Amino acid sequence: MGLFSGINYEEYAEEFDFYSLLGIDKESYGDVSAKKIYPENYSVDSSITEAHLAELDDLVRLHYLIRKFKVITALEIGAGKSTIVIADAVKRNHEEYSSFIDNNLRKNNAFELHSIDTNQFYADEVLRNLSSDLRPYVHLTVAGCKMATVNSRICTLFNDFPNVCADFIYIDGPGQDDPTGDIDGISTRHPDRLPMAADIIRLEHFLLPGTVIVMDGRTANAKFMKENFQLEWHHKYYVDFDQHVFINVSEPLGVYNKRELDF
């Protein structure tokens, strides 16, 4: 179980009031730790216009990691229920660690969540569902994305991207139908294709040692990132959760980065 061996999902969801946070009926949801199983084409069916239902096991792990690693700046690719949960964890870190960060580290986007999505409707829906105490922590960008290449490999890239130095990155987008264009006739706009976001590959050398990346599913995309990364990363695929975690374990870059790692 590694990183997640200490989680009691039911107790964690209760402690941090996930049910109120996400507007979920506790009695009807069922087992918090259980993985939800959807029809095989659910995630690639462009006719489904409703936002995906909350998956509490994934969301508990996200919140847990942000608290465990004392995350200061979060970046999210693909807004949704996760935006609310990440914002709550960042807010709690702010309440607990802001004095130390202000006095010891050089962080110009401290305790901010920067989220990027391709769909204005869903972005607006996320903002509507944010409580007033979480809204100041969230900075949401809506931008298009396109088919592209990185290292001569076909992938997708956003046309615009948050210019922040995040120490936690959650990748759950873009959707396969979102990128425009093609590369010699190839695009992800086919139900048998796979997500292949490459934005973080291009940004890799801007990512500080200690940066954590989490991906739910998207195993082909995770392998693509792993094969193209050049820094030293620890990677673990949690098969039971269908979740990938990368941690940048490169040597510290300087005194401020060393302080952040020690923190």
Side-chain angles (χ1 to χ4, degrees):
M1 298 285 283
L3 282 174
F4 307 110
S5 58
I7 303 179
N8 180 307
Y9 288 83
E10 297 283 352
E11 291 180 0
Y12 198 97
E14 286 278 2
E15 179 182 356
F16 294 100
D17 199 16
F18 272 46
Y19 304 103
S20 297
L21 191 66
L22 297 165
I24 293 173
D25 179 70
K26 176 183 174 182
E27 301 307 319
S28 63
Y29 183 85
D31 185 357
V32 176
S33 64
K35 174 62 63 181
K36 298 290 185 183
I37 306 298
Y38 295 98
E40 60 272 14
N41 285 319
Y42 179 78
S43 64
V44 295
D45 187 346
S46 59
S47 68
I48 298 175
T49 57
E50 297 85 6
H52 290 183
L53 299 175
E55 298 188 45
L56 285 181
D57 62 318
D58 290 341
L59 296 174
V60 164
R61 286 190 294 272
L62 272 182
H63 197 281
Y64 173 82
L65 288 178
I66 292 168
R67 296 287 286 150
K68 177 181 177 64
F69 286 103
K70 303 177 183 177
V71 167
I72 303 167
T73 307
L75 171 65
E76 175 190 45
I77 303 176
K81 304 290 192 304
S82 55
T83 309
I84 300 171
V85 167
I86 295 171
D88 182 77
V90 168
K91 174 181 177 288
R92 293 175 186 273
N93 286 356
H94 179 213
E95 294 168 346
E96 191 167 346
Y97 306 123
S98 61
S99 178
F100 179 88
I101 301 304
D102 290 343
N103 293 313
N104 294 278
L105 300 182
R106 187 176 64 196
K107 302 296 289 187
N108 290 287
N109 297 97
F111 307 111
E112 296 177 1
L113 163 59
H114 289 260
S115 181
I116 183 167
D117 200 276
T118 58
N119 190 299
Q120 186 68 59
F121 175 82
Y122 288 140
D124 291 342
E125 188 70 15
V126 168
L127 293 177
R128 278 194 294 271
N129 288 323
L130 281 170
S131 59
S132 58
D133 62 324
L134 294 182
R135 184 64 187 84
Y137 293 91
V138 177
H139 304 263
L140 209 159
T141 299
V142 176
C145 63
K146 58 185 177 295
M147 297 304 304
T149 60
V150 166
N151 297 334
S152 300
R153 307 294 184 183
I154 296 174
C155 58
T156 67
L157 294 170
F158 276 93
N159 300 329
D160 192 14
F161 209 75
N163 192 23
V164 295
C165 185
D167 51 302
F168 184 90
I169 301 170
Y170 178 56
I171 303 176
D172 194 32
Q176 283 177 229
D177 283 335
D178 295 338
T180 60
D182 63 73
I183 303 296
D184 299 332
I186 301 298
S187 80
T188 59
R189 297 184 305 279
H190 186 290
D192 294 339
R193 290 287 183 213
L194 301 159
M196 209 59 64
D199 306 274
I200 302 306
I201 295 171
R202 294 205 302 176
L203 285 171
E204 181 190 9
H205 287 274
F206 288 104
L207 303 180
L208 300 179
T211 300
V212 178
I213 302 172
V214 176
M215 303 178 73
D216 284 325
R218 296 175 173 258
T219 292
N221 199 163
K223 289 182 176 181
F224 180 59
M225 289 170 54
K226 182 180 179 182
E227 293 300 320
N228 282 275
F229 277 162
Q230 296 177 348
L231 300 178
E232 189 175 354
W233 294 85
H234 171 77
H235 168 250
K236 173 72 173 178
Y237 177 40
Y238 294 87
V239 179
D240 291 344
F241 311 146
D242 195 21
Q243 192 167 61
H244 295 263
V245 178
F246 294 82
I247 302 176
N248 186 342
V249 293
S250 306
E251 289 296 315
L253 297 179
V255 61
Y256 291 109
N257 185 214
K258 178 65 165 59
R259 284 183 193 172
E260 184 174 344
L261 290 171
D262 291 341
F263 165 73

